[in-house]
Amino acid sequence: MAAGRARSDGTGWARYVFPWRRASQSTADAETKPAAKRPKEILMLKFIGGTIGAIFLIGLIVVVLLLMLIF
């Protein structure tokens, strides 16, 4: 194992950052993982969130440019 890399078995700092990961890989652990049940829904929400964010940033730039032209 390389130095500085977290172990995926739930030991080290990763157990605090990812509390749903455990040492055993039983079916009970799949119930505690948030992405295990609905990966498609999560991808869809990420896409919608990214699209809304991009539209917001473009709109913000347009408003700032319009204000620069006016004043």
Side-chain angles (χ1 to χ4, degrees):
M1 179 172 301
R5 296 188 73 188
R7 293 170 53 177
S8 62
D9 61 354
T11 60
W13 63 269
R15 67 180 159 174
Y16 301 109
V17 178
F18 307 110
W20 60 86
R21 291 186 183 176
R22 296 185 184 155
S24 65
Q25 296 297 323
S26 65
T27 57
D29 288 342
E31 295 294 324
T32 60
K33 293 181 183 179
K37 285 185 166 182
R38 300 173 298 219
K40 288 183 181 179
E41 287 86 353
I42 291 174
L43 287 176
M44 181 185 67
L45 288 174
K46 281 184 173 182
F47 174 75
I48 291 173
T51 304
I52 291 172
I55 291 171
F56 174 77
L57 289 177
I58 291 170
L60 187 65
I61 291 171
V62 168
V63 168
V64 169
L65 290 176
L66 285 174
L67 288 174
M68 287 174 61
L69 286 175
I70 293 172
F71 297 107

